[in-house]
Amino acid sequence: MADSEFPAIILANGSTDLAGYIAANKAQIDEQLGAVGAVLLRGFAVPDAPAFDAAVQSYGADNFAYAESLSNAVRVNVTQRVFTANEAPPETSIYLHHEMAQTPIYPSKLFFYCEIAPGEGGATPICRSDILLDRMATETPELLEAFATKGVRYTNVMPADNDAGSGQGRSWKSTLNAETKDAAEARLAKLGYTHEWLDNGSLRATTPILPAVRQLADGRRTFFNQLIAAFRGWSDSRNTAHKSVCFGDDMPITGADMEPVIALSDALTYDLQWQAGDVALLDNYLVMHGRRPFAGKRRVLASLVA
Ligand code: FE2
């Protein structure tokens, strides 16, 4: 599949209704999605968030609700199924990741919709994680083996209140859907997390061992985790990258470990340059995504499939 067009692109003439198109062509869309993990639907009539919501609904899969997720990002709902992709400031890079792979609960697919194309920058980088893993098997086989056998644990410090200045500033109250510390602790225990309360009211939480490699139904394996994002970007007033993730046996993962993996992912990355009205569908198990910094207006909305 390495030579297949990535992303797959389906072009329309500007007046075709996307919801109707998806309803009539779901099998074809799914076939392309299964092969390369990303389908760009361009030139359809998708004027606003409600039209995007209708297109998502016509796909006919269950919604993955942000309120119930353990996502770190601060988000705002626009319609029932549609929300702002990330409230982090324009100059912040969001590096390649599989959505919510740093938690035990993640969506299978993601829809993105460009309502307002960015003035400058603002592409969505996407990278095939199966090809990345194949390259790692050749170039960093021992590291890959360590990830595959040990898994990883993620640690995150969550503020008491939302911090929109961070790409991962969602408060523990919102993340855990808990009003009190007792309720937060009960949810963490259920999920197998360990935790520590910090003096300023924030919460440091560490996941149980999560897989770093995922096997797809057809046998392909992907680098299903948040390691690249963690090592390139997880720094704010509460978190530092190197303390955010370790092997499942608590041994450290180093910047030197990740350097060749990051270089391989850069070489495989395609920058999706948004045009207003574009809709992209990503297979979260097969493809990583991120966000380039931008200037000027940019409005890209998202919707997740359970
Ligand atoms: Fe994301």
Side-chain angles (χ1 to χ4, degrees):
M1 301 310 301
D3 297 330
S4 303
E5 182 191 24
F6 178 74
I9 300 176
I10 298 173
L11 291 173
N13 63 7
S15 59
T16 309
D17 171 62
L18 182 57
Y21 180 87
I22 289 176
N25 297 278
K26 183 170 186 295
Q28 182 212 336
I29 293 168
D30 279 344
E31 192 183 318
Q32 292 182 294
L33 188 67
V36 301
V39 178
L40 173 63
L41 298 142
R42 173 164 284 172
F44 290 86
V46 193
D48 52 23
F52 174 47
D53 190 302
V56 169
Q57 289 198 44
S58 74
Y59 185 74
D62 286 344
N63 186 38
F64 181 95
Y66 171 70
E68 289 151 32
S69 79
L70 299 164
S71 166
N72 304 131
V74 177
R75 284 174 184 161
V76 179
N77 265 85
V78 178
T79 69
Q80 198 202 341
R81 289 192 66 159
V82 173
F83 53 84
T84 58
N86 195 307
E87 296 289 307
E91 61 275 15
T92 303
S93 279
I94 297 170
Y95 293 101
L96 291 173
H97 58 279
H98 286 282
E99 192 68 20
M100 298 180 216
Q102 82 284 22
T103 82
I105 307 165
Y106 27 74
S108 65
K109 300 180 185 79
L110 298 81
F111 282 94
F112 287 116
Y113 161 60
C114 177
E115 188 170 46
I116 301 172
E120 197 183 306
T124 291
I126 51 177
C127 177
R128 277 187 61 176
S129 193
D130 58 332
I131 299 178
L132 173 62
L133 187 132
D134 284 347
R135 300 278 160 87
M136 288 175 66
T138 306
E139 298 193 21
T140 60
E142 285 164 23
L143 180 68
L144 175 60
E145 179 65 12
F147 284 132
T149 55
K150 294 181 181 184
V152 288
R153 301 179 79 194
Y154 301 89
T155 297
N156 179 39
V157 178
M158 294 173 265
D161 298 302
N162 280 344
D163 173 6
S166 163
Q168 58 215 309
R170 192 181 184 193
S171 72
W172 60 260
K173 288 175 188 164
S174 171
T175 305
L176 299 170
N177 218 343
E179 276 306 311
T180 64
K181 287 188 175 184
D182 283 350
E185 287 178 355
R187 181 94 199 274
L188 288 168
K190 213 174 194 178
L191 294 163
Y193 281 59
T194 56
H195 72 276
E196 182 188 349
W197 293 103
L198 305 181
D199 287 344
N200 58 4
S202 55
L203 172 66
R204 176 186 288 131
T206 298
T207 66
I209 298 172
L210 298 177
V213 170
R214 185 181 179 93
Q215 181 144 24
L216 307 184
D218 64 5
R220 282 181 290 176
R221 294 196 303 163
T222 61
F223 196 55
F224 186 78
N225 56 64
Q226 292 250 356
L227 287 161
I228 293 170
F231 274 83
R232 301 189 90 166
W234 281 4
S235 294
D236 60 19
S237 58
R238 290 169 305 278
N239 297 280
T240 52
H242 296 83
K243 287 182 184 164
S244 297
V245 59
C246 64
F247 283 110
D249 60 2
D250 293 330
M251 293 298 284
I253 301 165
T254 66
D257 287 335
M258 286 304 296
E259 224 169 83
V261 181
I262 288 168
L264 288 170
S265 70
D266 274 344
L268 293 169
T269 293
Y270 172 91
D271 270 352
L272 206 175
Q273 307 283 1
W274 293 107
Q275 297 180 13
D278 281 352
V279 170
L281 174 57
L282 305 185
D283 181 329
N284 190 39
Y285 298 139
L286 185 50
V287 166
M288 292 187 274
H289 66 278
R291 189 199 73 186
R292 303 284 188 199
F294 64 96
K297 266 190 171 174
R298 175 191 192 267
R299 191 160 159 92
V300 174
L301 304 175
S303 182
L304 305 180
V305 174

